[in-house]
Amino acid sequence: MTQTPSKVLYTAAATSTGGREGRAVSSDGQLDIALTPPKEMGGTGTGSNPEQLFAAGYAACFNSALATVGRRERVDTSGAEVTAQVGIGPFERAYVLTVALTVRIPGVDLAEAQRLAELAHQVCPYSNATRGNIEVTVTAIA
């Protein structure tokens, strides 16, 4: 099912030249980054790559979703850390991604942290965009 917002609040735009061995620049110039494939994929690994950018965006977005859930549930999540590991590999005749989200919320017991992380997974726009398309795991840690 396609999800469409009732109102678009912000649109980010970035232009890539040279693909994985090029550059990505946001329309406002705040992001201007050299791209190179990682060593594991035959590159030099001297620049960033699309998977790192996706991981950073997903982790930040998920952390914000966790803060929203924390406010709703009246749980302090202000010290939360979210790590997103984005993998890429072949599948049939294409490449696909995997995501492993690891959530740590200081001062919150593990079962409660997992519950909050699962709720955040329902709220996060990145989670909603990837749901049903790629494997995403969400794990709370102490």
Side-chain angles (χ1 to χ4, degrees), residues 88-115:
I88 184 170
F91 177 76
E92 296 177 359
R93 293 183 176 197
Y95 283 84
V96 296
L97 301 176
T98 63
V99 177
L101 297 169
T102 305
V103 177
R104 189 175 75 76
I105 310 172
V108 176
D109 73 62
L110 195 55
E112 178 69 352
Q114 185 66 44
R115 185 182 78 81

Side-chain angles (χ1 to χ4, degrees), residues 26-52:
S26 62
S27 60
D28 64 3
Q30 292 298 309
L31 177 74
D32 185 346
I33 193 161
L35 301 171
T36 60
K39 290 180 181 180
E40 297 83 350
M41 293 178 67
T44 63
T46 57
S48 190
N49 60 68
E51 292 71 37
Q52 288 175 331

